[in-house]
Amino acid sequence: MRALENQTILLISPQPWDHIRISKHHYALELARRGNSVFFLEPPKLAQRDAVEAERMPDAEGVTRVSYRPTFPFAVRFHARAVFDRLMRFQIRRILRVIGKPLDVVWSFEFNLFSDLRAFGAERVIFHPVDPLSQRAQVLVARSADAVISVSNEILSNFADIDAPRWLINHGLSRPFEAAARNPRTEASKSAGRSRVGYSGNLSRPALNRDVLKKMIADNPEAEFHFWGPVDAEDLAQQFIDHLRGAANVKLHGRVDEHRLAREIQEMDCHVLAYSLDERESDRSNSHKILEYLSTGKVIVSSRIAMYSEHDDLLRMPAGADDAILPAMLTDTLKRLPEFNSKELQPARRKLALDNTYERQIERIADKLDALPQQKPTR
């Protein structure tokens, strides 16, 4: 049987199904399109009535949401990890009883709750962390995996002493952005002749370099800045959002669905990304929004992102880690838009984005799984 086709797959996600769709959701949707029966395991829900619930998703054929109520205080994890792990095995058995059939694949994006992924009894186990790892226990999850996947070599370097193959697979491009990339607009529209600069993402994220973004806006008053993302936050993040709201050349669009976002960012002439280093949030090795930006074909002014270090022709990034140069780099870019958004560079950016659709990433992973030695089921 071809890997990742017509199989029963448990996908373990740190985010619930009703979260804004990110990589876990898109992998689940694409796996279901390949004829797989996908069980999407959510984080624990303290207020849930039943111990384990399973519900087929009406908006996603082939996907079943699985949620569970913890049977013990999860605070045990921070005080007695070995006890927590034993209790989680009991939790796993309850989950498997509700699923009601053997698993072919366990695919986990979660690195805090399940120390031994073999406990699910699947024939294949994939460990797929996409965020920086800050604790050794998170790394050791990989000892129970047949393969470790991540979006950067920096994250994969954590597993150098783990006896499992390590596969570099970039972030994925979801279908709305793929559709936009395949049917590009010939010209970005302008508002009163202004160049448009776009940013999409969580404005509350700790890694966001707000000072640099504020200077970009202040130094380029002739440009129109568009921000997509939630506009309710706390403390410093809310101060930043209020600052944006008061800037004459800024438009806040709030949180929008991915179909609208994919459509509206096509109108931009340039996109920006400014991230500081953050132990838990950002090692600046990769960012999923880069592919979304690339799908528009338009130039990107960004902090140095390691995954794209060989694509300096498609992104404008500082040579080093200091982002102080970004405001001046944006000013220079806006003055030279015809050069950076040329008829040669725009298709090249879209081509790179389209080479990383979720469908394409799953094909890459399936090829690698097929090449692994056959193993006996662990169940």
Side-chain angles (χ1 to χ4, degrees), residues 203 231 233 235-247 252:
L203 297 174
V231 292
D235 303 328
L236 291 176
Q238 189 59 52
Q239 293 179 30
F240 174 65
I241 293 169
D242 291 341
H243 175 86
L244 296 180
R245 188 176 282 114
L252 292 177

Side-chain angles (χ1 to χ4, degrees), residues 81-94:
R81 182 71 200 211
V83 174
F84 176 84
D85 290 341
R86 287 197 296 272
L87 292 170
M88 285 303 286
R89 282 182 170 271
F90 172 73
Q91 194 80 65
I92 289 170
R93 289 196 293 270
R94 297 179 74 174

Side-chain angles (χ1 to χ4, degrees), residues 40-236:
F40 187 95
L41 182 60
E42 297 184 313
K45 293 183 176 180
L46 298 177
Q48 181 169 294
R49 188 180 71 173
D50 295 329
V52 181
E53 296 179 358
E55 177 188 8
R56 292 184 179 180
M57 293 293 94
D59 60 339
E61 183 178 356
V63 177
T64 299
R65 177 189 62 82
V66 179
S67 59
Y68 65 98
R69 186 186 69 242
T71 57
F72 59 93
F74 262 34
V76 174
R77 177 165 69 95
F78 304 104
H79 305 290
R81 182 71 200 211
V83 174
F84 176 84
D85 290 341
R86 287 197 296 272
L87 292 170
M88 285 303 286
R89 282 182 170 271
F90 172 73
Q91 194 80 65
I92 289 170
R93 289 196 293 270
R94 297 179 74 174
I95 292 168
L96 292 175
R97 281 198 296 269
V98 171
I99 291 175
K101 55 182 176 179
L103 300 175
D104 296 300
V105 178
V106 163
W107 191 325
S108 182
F109 292 87
E110 165 59 62
F111 46 68
N112 287 313
L113 299 182
F114 302 103
S115 295
D116 185 2
L117 297 173
R118 291 170 297 188
F120 287 95
E123 295 185 18
R124 287 293 187 193
V125 175
I126 300 170
F127 183 43
H128 196 160
V130 296
D131 297 308
L133 304 176
S134 58
Q135 300 173 25
R136 180 62 178 169
Q138 297 169 340
V139 174
L140 293 180
V141 176
R143 294 187 302 186
S144 62
D146 294 304
V148 180
I149 301 172
S150 195
V151 295
S152 74
N153 284 317
E154 285 73 12
I155 296 176
L156 287 175
S157 67
N158 289 283
F159 305 99
D161 61 343
I162 301 294
D163 186 21
R166 301 185 298 276
W167 301 335
L168 177 64
I169 303 291
N170 198 0
H171 283 293
L173 184 73
S174 65
R175 294 211 168 202
F177 294 94
E178 177 186 354
R182 295 191 187 282
N183 298 281
R185 300 187 180 192
T186 55
E187 290 290 339
S189 62
K190 299 290 194 304
S191 176
R194 282 180 159 186
S195 297
R196 291 183 168 190
V197 180
Y199 174 88
S200 63
N202 185 357
L203 297 174
S204 300
R205 191 174 184 190
L208 191 64
N209 194 328
R210 299 180 180 89
D211 289 338
V212 164
L213 285 172
K214 287 164 67 174
K215 187 165 176 53
M216 284 180 167
I217 294 166
D219 288 0
N220 296 280
E222 76 291 344
E224 187 175 273
F225 288 79
H226 293 252
F227 286 80
W228 289 268
V231 292
D232 296 316
E234 296 178 357
D235 303 328
L236 291 176

